[in-house]
Amino acid sequence: NGTLTVGSASSLIFNTNTNTATIPDGLFTTVPATFSGLTINRAGGLVLGNQEINVTGTTTLTIGIVTVLNADVQITTISGTPDATKMFVTLGTGKLKKSFPVVTSGSSSFTFPVGDITDVAEYSPYYISFTANSVAGIVAVGVTNVKHPNNAETDNYIKRYWTIATTGLTNYTYN
């Protein structure tokens, strides 16, 4: 057991291995633990426990599923082409987060590379595009692989829903 003090210029890299890597609770001495980059190139994937992680630079998804349990992961940009073998999965209360700037003209958009692994790995991305936003803020996304509890349909529904939360955004328009 021990702790790790992370500098803001540090990168977190998980390279080739078929075993799942797990970051234990309480490993990092700062909350959130801030990294300049995150690279997942590990077929076994990565399980993030109950400690927030903030990636200020590029998150590279080569292969491997990042399982987010009960703490959020905030990313900035994605490198790679996410699919069912390389994505983020939210199995607890944790979400995948992204910061969005003030938008007065044009747009600011992002595809959250999320999915689920309940029965089989399924990539179910969430796309959002802000065409107006008066205050910068954060969007947090999670996927749950069951029929939404407020859906009264008995035979015509999808078995998945997305949970979206925002912080700081005001007077915004999005698609």
Side-chain angles (χ1 to χ4, degrees):
N1 291 341
T3 59
L4 180 63
T5 301
V6 179
S8 61
S10 301
S11 289
L12 191 56
I13 300 170
F14 292 88
N15 279 324
T16 309
N17 196 312
T18 56
N19 296 323
T20 302
T22 300
I23 295 180
D25 297 345
L27 175 64
F28 306 118
T29 57
T30 58
V31 177
T34 300
F35 297 93
S36 62
L38 172 64
T39 299
I40 307 299
N41 184 21
R42 187 181 185 101
L46 173 65
V47 175
L48 301 175
N50 300 323
Q51 190 162 353
E52 274 197 50
I53 291 178
N54 182 14
V55 183
T56 59
T58 301
T59 297
T60 303
L61 298 176
T62 304
I63 189 162
I65 293 172
V66 180
T67 303
V68 179
L69 297 178
N70 296 315
D72 298 332
V73 175
Q74 184 167 331
I75 59 177
T76 305
T77 60
I78 291 289
S79 174
T81 305
D83 61 27
T85 66
K86 46 189 176 287
M87 63 182 172
F88 285 84
V89 171
T90 55
L91 291 182
T93 58
K95 304 285 182 261
L96 182 61
K97 298 182 348 182
K98 165 92 169 89
S99 179
F100 287 87
V102 170
V103 177
T104 56
S105 66
S107 66
S108 178
S109 60
F110 187 72
T111 301
F112 287 81
V114 293
D116 72 82
I117 55 172
T118 303
D119 298 319
V120 63
E122 296 173 305
Y123 181 55
S124 307
Y126 177 80
Y127 174 82
I128 190 165
S129 178
F130 287 94
T131 55
N133 180 30
S134 61
V135 176
I138 294 171
V139 174
V141 175
V143 176
T144 304
N145 190 43
V146 297
K147 179 177 126 179
H148 193 279
N150 295 331
N151 185 341
E153 284 290 326
T154 58
D155 62 350
N156 193 14
Y157 59 88
I158 62 171
K159 187 179 163 188
R160 177 173 301 110
Y161 66 92
W162 295 257
T163 302
I164 314 301
T166 62
T167 305
L169 300 170
T170 59
N171 299 323
Y172 53 85
T173 305
Y174 65 93
N175 299 324

